[in-house]
Amino acid sequence: MTTWIQSLQERVGNGREFHFDSGRFIRENITKSWLFTLWLIILTYLTLAYTISQFRSLPFTTGVLVLAWLLTVSLTVYNEITRSHNTLTLWLRNNLYSSITNTLLSLLLVLAIVAAVWGFIDYAFLRASFTRVPEEAQAILAQFDSPGANWGAVLDNMRNLMVFRYPKEDSWRLWFVILYMGALLAASTFVFSQERFRRHRIRQALTGIWLATPVLTFMLLLGVKPVPGRTVDFLIRLLAVLAGLVALFFLSRGLLKRFPSLIVSFLVTVLWAAAAVTAVYLLRGTLVAGLNPDIAWGGLLLTLIIAVFAIVASFPLGVLLALGRRSQIRGIPPWLTYSTAAVFTAYYLYTNTLPAFAAATTIVQQLFSLWPLLFLVIAYLFQKYFKGNVVALFCTFYIEGIRGVPLITVLFMSIILFPILLPKGMEILSTWRVMAAAALFAAAYLAENVRGGLQSIPKGQYEAADAIGLNTFQKYRLIILPQAIRTVIPAIVGQFIGLFKDTTLIAIVGLVELLGVANLISAQTDWLGVRREPYIFLMLIYFTGSWVMATSSRRLEKRMGVGER
Amino acid sequence: MTTTKSSATPLTKAEEVIVCKDVQKWYGDFHALRGISLTVKKGEVIVILGPSGSGKSTFIRCINRLEEHQQGEISVEGTILNYDVRNIAEIRREVGMVFQQFNLFPHLTVLDNVTLAPIHVRKWSRDHAEDRAMHWLTRVGIPEQANKYPGQLSGGQQQRVAIARTLTMEPKILLFDEPTSALDPEMIKEVLDVMRDLATEGYTILAVTHEMGFARTVADRIIFMDAGQIVEENTPENFFTNPDNERTKLFLNQILHH
Amino acid sequence: MAELSPTPPKGQESIPFWRDGRVIGVLAQIAFVVMVVLGTAWLLNNVNDNIGALGSFRCADGTESFRCGFNFLSIDAQFDISESIIRYEPSDSYARALLVGALNTLKVTVLGVILATILGTLAGIARLSTNWLVSNMAKWYVDFFRNTPLLLQLFFIYFGVILLFPAIKDAIQPFGLPIFLSQRGINMPGPVFMPSFSIWMAFLVLGIIQAQVTWLFLGRREEQTGKSSNRGLWAFLSFVLVAVLGWYVAGGTANSQGIMVTNATRVREFGDIETLVLSRLPVSDLGDIDTAVADGSLSTEALTTASLQICAVKDAPSEVNFTSQLRRAGIPFVVNRTDRLNQATEAYVAGDCEVLVAPQAALASERSTLENGANHSVIAIAETPVRISVPRIEGLNFIGGIKLTPSFAAILIGLVLYTGAFIAEIVRAGIQSVAKGQTEAARALGLSESQRLRLVVLPQAMRVIIPPLTSQYLNLAKNSSLAIAVGFADLWAIAYTTLNQSGRSVQVFMIVMAAYLTLSLSISFMLNWYNRRIALVER
Ligand SMILES: Nc1ncnc2c1ncn2[C@@H]1O[C@H](COP(=O)(O)OP(=O)(O)OP(=O)(O)O)[C@@H](O)[C@H]1O
Ligand SMILES: [Mg+2]
């Protein structure tokens, strides 16, 4: 955009006499187009009106600001004319005063921003109370006509906000988890960034620890411990289980080496699943959860647990769903689909439609009684759009179904419907229900992310994997998924940030996470009706959390992109 | 170290490693292969030529089941190529393929690219696999690149890695699908030299290429395909100097006078 | 060539089925189907065990059937809904209550989408402004709203801002505008549509077509003569012409509004009202009333009694139409509002007022119910297609204007601010994606600034913008379900009440899921259609 200052500048030349082309100046800054002129008039009016109204409420500040504005504008213009810009005026010229409209806008916005910031400072600090004693806070705030923030409510509830009712004597578990995570993270960053640890045992060990971490943390947070009096029993069983697992590990490795085939690897998988069940069975009864999550977990702790659990647990499911949706497995052949549909149609036409058709009195009722024909329609659509692939059908329906409805309904469904869907008498805690719902919900979104990654893998990668003789399982595990997931890490981080924010919704279904605690504060007798302050504090937490995650993910992305592609 | 598997008896004529009989293939309604019959003997080098879209790639990809043929019979090393997943796996183990676009795995280092299949398919120990991998990388002339990622290599180097990746699996048959088409002229030579060496070492080779020099000097036989059929099958000398078929003459005219 | 072909012992026919690639796939599929069917059967069995006994699926004749599970929809809902587009009473059925909720969701979604798009576009453009302050303010807006949870924002807006607004008598009026922020929510001026609006609407459509035609016609002439004419302006003017014409035609032909008066008042047409009121006042001209009140010769009580006494139905357009004409004529009036027309008529008959305002047809039928209908006459009142109604405080209520209840204001503002931040990023990325080269190429072609935007930048940016925009609209629609947190009666809030009250949880969830899926699918369908269309135009 040509600017008025530029038009001035061109007239000045190198030391030549200053000559001002007013016609051009007006053309470029005022009468460019009728819309522009209108905008300029409105802006001028707004700026004037706002400046005057600010003069009334904040005479001193406004005066200083307007003076500063006048001063810097004239300085910039002068420097422009004489071509003697310093860093400051050059910056001002480029960023604030590049045209008449921008110059006006800058004044308007400076006044508005200063007023807003001042208002906030006034509210948050000058007229605020910081004491944790409610009576003192009342006394302090009573001095002001319009009292400011009552931060005591937040300070007094800091522990509640962080961990809510997590027992004090169990606090060491939290500290332990934090330290453990910190150490693990530091160690991994170091080891994985060093080329000399490639293929080193340390790297495998760390990967193993990472895989075990979710379970361990979980047990720690739940306060899991041996049943009193059965510690020895527990230790013996634990040793037995560990020994069994180690044995199984070598057994399966040998098996796979000796009989490298898909069926054997499937058998080994089954074997491991059986081992897991046996292990749980053996250890059952010897361990007891020391804490009830519905009661003990809350505040930021619960927020983090749910967000992390959802993303971790949704990962395998999401990957499976994505693979399923894209799967090219040979579908159920048309003849089978159509004959099955025909059998159903015939059966229901005979048992259902015949009597209903006879009983129908209107054409509409007669038409409705023909509903079994829908089986054929469904069969046709199924063959047309899914080529008989039930797996793809199921995954697509799951993904689109979940993505089409709001999270809040899914959460309520978990609270209300889980008990109905489970066998009579089987109860599960609300926390588990909500965590399951969050994971099932996240899986649908994760699946779409992963699918995007899968789509970005060129066909040649699949062909090369086939050509070198990898089986399907190896192809996905070694070639396709590592690449697909790597490309969607930023999207997954984005999704995790989304989950972190979305956990607030569980406050509505009655669990007391961060927002739940904030809502409770206003009901405490000490801090009755204090609402804004906890909310502002929460905004700070969420903003910092999301912002830090987003920024570091961007940095990670940049670093990982180097050299590997 | 690898022998014919239990599922297949030794061939009547042991040296016939690829036998194709009346192979037909459709893409939807499009008839891509119209009855290809070809027998390849052990150690033979065969170059397939033909205009674009004539089905060269389709045919060669049928041999290791990257494409399914719908009629006719293909057998490789005595193993019939059908829906039996075990047969497919066997054949893929014995047949190596080099692609026009290299298709290296960008998330793995060169060494990992090369050792991946030996470790996971042949079940070699990592040490042995790396040993063999370095051997082949040296053979194709790039041992010093072993720890780089494919993205850091030139096109010619990448194609040579791809060849090493194929050879480390110790296949008996090599399929090349225009391995030099995506390369700059100076890199083409690097790759052709490697291929030439392999040809003299007794590998059975089936190559689609437009490198006429290579075809003339290295091939035992030249197959000319058009519209999904083999139109001419000839020795290099006859093919280039005295082709039987009109279509071949036209093709050679276009190729050689451009 | 050797005729001896390999003849392996196992031909194609004898592949064992567990190794046959064709069979494995189908077997896996069938196994999957069996698993899913078994799982579903297990779940349904549990559902039956758990709630079947409660009679949730019982038909009228005592048999159990899945179909009868939805019979509860015709039962009376018996709960109140604070705001509704259609008429609703607690005696209406659950089905109607759910419909009210669905319409409320639709209302929030449609308004939210429009406003968020406007806000997002402005903020997105502001992000690219050459003014440092403007672009940074936009950046902070975007960063803040994207990085904090929507629900937290909603709670803050509702509990931390709107509910802390002053009582109605101290309502805040920002910048002295006729917008009132109070505990009742937000009251602001808004249009009131008269029946003749539909006629004017037709003219507006006509005007758009006319403008389109003018534009094309002038464009063709420009191409022929090579001279540029100001075709944008002409197209606009022709639109304005048709619109103005339509305004008067619609107002002139409309004959739906009326008032009922007793013959004794001698009012035969609108002009007579002035005479009637003047006859009760100690002044000879309506313009003198203010001075008379000021110098004390006319007390306010006397003025009130002498004013025209009007009976009207609350929130009815007829009243706005009539009183705004009275106001323009300077005639003082007092309105007595009731909830229904028959109550208003009763008040009128009882003598609480002298004029009953309503549509003519309604008045005529009311008159026929009166004992001595002949003593009353219905007089036509002129109308204009739209009137702007400005809110006023009368006693402890707001009269006129548009009301946003605190709940509705909170959910709407929250959704718009939140989604707007996401849209801003999309718009910015879209505009930036149009490479600089494109812009320069257009400049080199000598296109003007506006031509450049319209012909080069926007179409290309649109292609980048539409897909993510679709998902933002979908998110907005889904996020509107958070209304339950601020007490707005959207679909989910009402469904939840229904669920709790009727106990038909499975059925209610099925209805809600179906409704949201329909909404989501229709939004993505519409935008996909649009996307395909612009993609085609591009070719
Ligand atoms: N996946 C596919 N679906 C449909 N048609 C295909 C597919 N792959 C190849 N074709 C068609 O089959 C014919 C043969 O293709 P093929 O790739 O074998 O040709 P080609 O001889 O290798 O040509 P070129 O020299 O260009 O590589 C072509 O007409 C092509 O359009
Ligand atoms: Mg090809």
Side-chain angles (χ1 to χ4, degrees), chain A residues 26 31 39 83 99 120 180 197 209 217 265 267-269 274 348 353 390 400 436 441 480 492 510 519-521 544 552:
Chain A
I26 288 171
T31 58
W39 163 229
R83 301 202 154 191
S99 65
F120 183 76
Y180 168 75
F197 288 125
I209 295 180
T217 336
S265 47
L267 278 180
V268 167
T269 319
Y348 282 104
T353 306
V390 195
E400 294 307 328
F441 183 80
I480 308 301
I492 293 177
N519 284 334
L520 285 183
I521 292 178
T544 333
S552 43

Side-chain angles (χ1 to χ4, degrees), chain C residues 352-522:
Chain C
D352 290 353
C353 53
E354 25 186 5
V355 179
L356 177 64
V357 186
Q360 273 187 39
L363 287 176
S365 74
E366 285 296 316
R367 189 171 70 154
S368 63
T369 64
L370 297 183
E371 276 171 31
N372 40 4
N375 290 347
H376 304 271
S377 47
V378 175
I379 296 164
I381 294 294
E383 68 175 271
T384 49
V386 186
R387 285 202 183 272
I388 301 296
S389 162
V390 179
R392 275 163 298 115
I393 299 178
E394 262 177 36
L396 285 178
N397 280 310
F398 282 105
I399 301 299
I402 296 183
K403 297 182 180 63
L404 308 183
T405 59
S407 303
F408 180 67
I411 185 78
L412 185 66
I413 295 174
L415 285 175
V416 167
L417 286 176
Y418 185 75
T419 315
F422 285 85
I423 294 181
E425 270 306 279
I426 294 169
V427 169
R428 180 189 63 83
I431 295 178
Q432 276 182 339
S433 75
V434 183
K436 264 224 175 86
Q438 290 282 348
T439 315
E440 266 145 29
R443 277 216 189 108
L445 282 173
L447 297 180
S448 78
E449 192 88 353
S450 75
Q451 278 174 326
R452 188 171 63 76
L453 263 180
R454 208 178 56 232
L455 301 176
V456 181
V457 177
L458 271 185
Q460 297 192 47
M462 273 324 234
R463 272 199 305 186
V464 184
I465 288 173
I466 294 289
L469 196 61
T470 313
S471 68
Q472 282 316 316
Y473 289 169
L474 287 173
N475 283 347
L476 190 146
K478 286 184 278 169
N479 283 337
S480 71
S481 61
L482 294 186
I484 196 174
V486 294
F488 176 68
D490 79 325
L491 174 61
W492 171 241
I494 288 176
Y496 188 59
T497 318
T498 306
L499 185 158
N500 277 335
Q501 212 170 290
S502 70
R504 306 297 203 280
S505 41
V506 179
Q507 294 95 316
V508 170
F509 273 115
M510 285 172 74
I511 295 171
V512 172
M513 298 285 140
Y516 277 112
L517 279 177
T518 315
L519 183 64
S520 303
L521 290 182
S522 18

Side-chain angles (χ1 to χ4, degrees), chain B residues 221-236:
Chain B
R221 259 192 293 164
I222 291 186
I223 306 275
F224 182 76
M225 283 182 69
D226 187 29
Q229 283 173 317
I230 297 184
V231 215
E232 172 152 5
E233 192 177 332
N234 220 330
T235 56

